[in-house]
């Protein structure tokens, strides 16, 4: 990869106009550079194949995939993070995405015993426990309930967990990419519970999946009756196999572990089950050796997705788009601030599109980069007034072994050559 | 409200199936779960012993079952092989720089051990252990953690007598009090930190990220000004 003095030749600023022209004239660039070109661009002056002959027919791809030039925009895993790829994680390529909706095909996966294949005919959902009438639903049954829609982020509780102890992985895909954001359609959990009739002593629900891990988690009834959805559609089509086909739980704002996939049973109890996934895992060790449990909500967080280590600056000085994502499990994002100097000074970024509650929100800041090093940071503020903390502020309270819920401010060191590194700074 | 919904609700009321004030009116979708179906799927065990089924198992039987089903990953003594989870050890390590969180050192309830092993282990071949098998393996895990003698017999009746060492080690989320208050003040915008930034940690030095052939992080955006891959 080269980010050498060719960047100078593509600089669009007028101050560099003469120099750029001279170098272009010398044949150093062809087909690039907006400011000037001494020789005509053959991509324009010569008829290209695609302007003359046929492209693919409409029957070439009944279900299309991205063009091969985008083959870097894929999920990636990091082998050493886990012992088995069946109980593991992969990462959404958020460095390469824009807007807020995550394409399902690259939306991260986290399984505890692999992505199972479960057909709609084989699907059953049970509601039992402290209910008036324990029920079994088929998938066909579920399609008859009144439907609802929501857009929500699903962020793994462990997103950024490898970074608690320092800067470790190189790229926003790896440090913040255990997340996706989809538009869901399904039925409200409260409507299913009403069908069974929750008894007054029923205070908790326990939700588990069809897979071998079951991933059982307890939720307080208040949340279940509020905004939890039993979803069948994501981004317009059925859930992907790896995302819980045909039915998953959507738990807006709460840690991804509770978004039970391949949902099999909803048990109503008078107390929490305190299952493995809410005792051994998804509990957060604190400095005194005790641990927080039931840390359900994902706090306000943001990250600059470009520039970032996988998205270096190669176009030289001048106009630069800083783009990123912000989100909060406690409501809407109100504001995102961006710093170019490691938190010394901040300026308010622009929220592009809608800031929806408990959903990914896009922000942009357009700057004129003078080619000097930057320490880029973003800082989300949600509608409760909560301001995304620094990693250091979190560590002062929680120590280094929390494992989960790292929503600390990310720093990217942009070097003069346009390369970008994941760093921590003082 | 449609007539059919009303009549379905009325039928349920008449049948005495809706007790007390209903939260919403049922639509009459789905059918009643049979006892055998509930028994097959609701195998959860709660901390107070709710969900335990009649049965028993001793340490010695558990040791044999563990050798057969579990030790290839978790070790003969539940200490964990390679990077597979350690199920025993680590007592008193929770304030250490690198805590060892096991059943004995960390888990609050024995119910979780029974429940998780019974439903989700062995990894790759789950739900093959009987009720008695699971009592026996749970007894062996207690023994491996130094919590019972080698002649101990675990049953549905003495199960809740077992108190785990870290039973009091957890508290519900207190972020609203300990963090939200502190983090919800108007943030500094200008001249917030004196001096220039000093780099204290660089991920690049660890070299643990998957890379492309040219050494850049995996998935790095292609150079647009370079020739496109003819593919």
């Amino acid at each position: 990869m080269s980010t050498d003095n060719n960047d100078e030749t593509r600089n669009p600023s007028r101050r560099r106009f003469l120099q750029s022209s001279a170098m272009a004239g010398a044949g150093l660039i062809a087909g690039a550079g907006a400011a000037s070109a001494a020789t005509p661009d053959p991509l324009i002056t010569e008829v290209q194949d695609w302007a003359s002959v046929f492209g693919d027919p409409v029957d070439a791809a009944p279900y299309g995939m991205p063009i091969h030039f985008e083959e870097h925009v894929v999920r990636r895993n990091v082998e050493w993070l886990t012992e088995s790829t069946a109980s593991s994680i992969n990462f959404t390529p958020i460095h390469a995405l824009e807007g807020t909706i995550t394409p399902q095909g690259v939306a991260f996966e986290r399984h505890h015993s692999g992505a199972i294949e479960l057909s709609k005919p084989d699907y059953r959902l049970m509601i039992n426990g402290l209910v008036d009438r324990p029920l079994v639903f088929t998938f066909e049954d579920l399609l008859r309930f009144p439907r609802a829609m929501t857009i929500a982020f699903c962020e793994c509780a462990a997103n950024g967990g490898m970074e608690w102890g320092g800067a470790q992985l190189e790229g926003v895909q790896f440090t913040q990419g255990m997340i996706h954001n989809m538009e869901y359609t399904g039925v409200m959990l409260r409507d299913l519970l009403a069908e069974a009739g929750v008894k007054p002593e029923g205070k908790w629900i326990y939700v588990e999946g069809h897979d071998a891990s079951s991933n059982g988690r307890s939720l307080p009834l208040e949340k279940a009756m509020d905004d939890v959805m039993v979803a069948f559609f994501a981004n317009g089509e059925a859930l992907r196999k790896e995302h819980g086909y045909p039915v998953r739980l959507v738990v807006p704002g709460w840690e991804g572990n509770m978004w039970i996939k391949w949902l099999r049973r909803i048990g109503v109890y008078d107390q929490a089950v305190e299952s493995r996934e809410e005792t051994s895992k998804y509990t957060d060790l604190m400095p005194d050796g005790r641990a927080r449990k039931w840390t359900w909500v994902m706090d306000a967080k943001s990250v600059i997705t470009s520039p970032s280590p996988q998205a270096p600056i190669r176009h030289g000085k001048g106009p630069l788009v800083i783009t990123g994502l912000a989100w909060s499990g406690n409501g809407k994002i109100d504001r995102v601030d961006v710093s170019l100097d490691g938190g010394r000074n901040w300026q308010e970024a622009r929220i592009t599109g809608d800031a929806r509650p408990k959903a990914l929100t896009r922000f942009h800041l357009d700057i004129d980069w003078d080619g000097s090093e930057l320490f880029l940071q973003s800082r989300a503020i949600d509608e409760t007034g909560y301001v995304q903390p620094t990693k250091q502020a979190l560590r002062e309270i929680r120590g280094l072994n929390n494992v989960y819920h790292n929503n600390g401010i990310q720093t990217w060191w942009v070097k003069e050559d346009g390369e970008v590194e994941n760093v921590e700074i003082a | 409200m449609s007539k059919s919904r009303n009549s379905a609700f009325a039928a349920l009321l008449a049948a005495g199936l809706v007790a007390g004030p209903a939260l919403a009116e049922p639509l009459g979708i789905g059918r009643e779960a049979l006892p055998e179906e509930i028994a097959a799927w609701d195998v959860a065990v709660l901390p107070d012993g709710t969900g335990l089924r009649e049965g028993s198992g001793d340490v010695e039987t558990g040791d044999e079952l563990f050798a057969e089903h579990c030790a290839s990953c978790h070790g003969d003594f539940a200490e964990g092989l390679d990077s597979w989870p350690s199920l025993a050890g680590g007592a008193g390590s929770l304030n250490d720089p690198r805590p060892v969180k096991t059943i004995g050192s960390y888990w609050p309830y024995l119910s979780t051990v029974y429940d998780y092993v019974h439903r989700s282990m062995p990894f790759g071949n789950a739900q093959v252990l009987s009720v008695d098998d699971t009592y026996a393996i749970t007894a062996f895990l207690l023994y491996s953690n130094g919590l019972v003698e080698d002649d101990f017999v675990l049953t549905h009746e003495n199960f809740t007598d077992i108190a785990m060492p870290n039973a009091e080690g957890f508290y519900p989320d207190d972020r609203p009090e300990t963090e939200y208050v502190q983090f919800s003040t108007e943030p500094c915008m200008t001249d917030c930190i004196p001096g220039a930034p000093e780099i204290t940690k660089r991920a690049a030095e660890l070299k643990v990220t998957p890379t492309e052939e040219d050494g850049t992080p995996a998935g790095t955006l292609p150079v647009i000004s370079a020739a496109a891959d003819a593919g």
Side-chain angles (χ1 to χ4, degrees), chain B residues 19-57:
Chain B
L23 294 165
E25 295 172 16
L27 298 173
I29 300 174
R31 53 116 178 135
E32 195 140 352
L34 300 176
E36 298 87 339
E37 294 170 332
I38 295 172
W41 274 11
D42 184 354
V43 292
V45 181
L46 280 60
D48 69 356
T50 300
L52 284 173
R53 298 178 190 196
E54 278 188 34
S56 67

Side-chain angles (χ1 to χ4, degrees), chain A residues 1 10 68-69 71-72 76-78 80 83-84 86-87 95-96 112 124 126 128 132-137 141 144-146 165-170 173-174 194-195 198 206 208 210 212-214 225 264-265 269 271-276 279-280 283-297 299 309-312 314 330 335 337 341-348 375 379 381 385-387 389 393-394 397-398 401 403 405 413 421-426, chain B residues 5 12 17-19 23-34 37-38 40-48 50 81-85 93-99 101 106-109 111-112 115-116 119-121 123 126-127 166 168-175 178-180 182-210 212 214 216-225 228-231:
Chain A
M1 173 173 37
R10 291 194 292 276
H68 63 87
F69 303 128
E71 63 190 6
H72 54 287
R76 292 179 189 277
N77 74 318
V78 177
W80 56 265
E83 178 66 25
S84 163
S87 179
H95 65 295
H112 293 78
R124 298 289 185 275
M126 181 184 290
N128 78 310
D132 297 320
R133 192 170 73 122
L135 293 172
V136 171
F137 298 111
D141 291 335
R144 299 168 66 201
F145 281 91
Q168 182 157 226
L169 287 163
E170 198 70 300
Q173 177 170 18
F174 304 108
E195 205 64 23
V198 176
Y206 182 68
E208 58 183 344
H210 275 264
S213 83
S214 102
M225 301 301 280
R264 170 170 114 165
R265 187 176 73 88
Y269 300 92
Q271 59 191 296
V273 170
E274 305 258 14
S275 69
R276 187 256 196 178
T279 55
S280 171
T283 54
D284 316 343
L285 192 60
M286 300 290 282
D288 67 356
R290 295 190 305 150
R292 288 174 176 161
K293 65 177 180 180
W294 302 340
T295 47
W296 299 313
V297 175
D299 289 330
Q310 298 158 289
R314 293 163 169 143
N330 281 309
R335 193 175 104 198
D337 298 331
D341 57 5
R344 274 76 190 150
N345 297 281
W346 296 86
Q347 50 193 311
E348 189 174 338
F375 291 92
R379 179 174 72 186
I381 303 171
Y386 175 99
V387 182
L394 289 171
I397 296 168
R398 304 190 202 168
N401 288 314
V403 179
H405 291 281
W413 176 31
E421 284 194 20
N422 173 16
V423 296
E424 290 195 6
I425 56 173
Chain B
R5 286 177 66 165
L12 285 171
L17 293 172
V18 177
L23 294 165
E25 295 172 16
L27 298 173
I29 300 174
R31 53 116 178 135
E32 195 140 352
L34 300 176
E37 294 170 332
I38 295 172
W41 274 11
D42 184 354
V43 292
V45 181
L46 280 60
D48 69 356
T50 300
L81 298 181
D82 302 325
S83 300
W84 295 105
S93 72
L94 298 181
N95 323 63
D96 290 356
R98 291 182 175 276
K101 298 189 285 185
Y106 191 64
W107 292 33
Y109 303 114
S111 55
T112 314
D115 173 75
Y116 182 68
R119 196 187 48 242
S120 297
M121 287 287 145
F123 190 54
Q127 303 199 75
N166 199 39
E168 304 302 319
F170 298 82
Y171 54 96
D173 187 4
D174 65 348
R175 285 176 293 174
T178 56
E179 297 185 7
Y180 293 176
Q182 175 181 336
F183 296 151
S184 299
T185 57
E186 192 56 38
C188 174
M189 294 297 287
T190 308
D191 299 329
C192 304
I193 306 169
E198 176 199 343
I199 294 170
T200 55
K201 295 269 174 56
R202 289 177 63 195
E205 289 177 346
L206 296 181
K207 300 188 192 305
V208 294
T209 306
E212 301 288 347
D214 65 2
T216 57
T220 292
L221 303 185
V223 180
I224 295 173
S225 58
D229 177 6

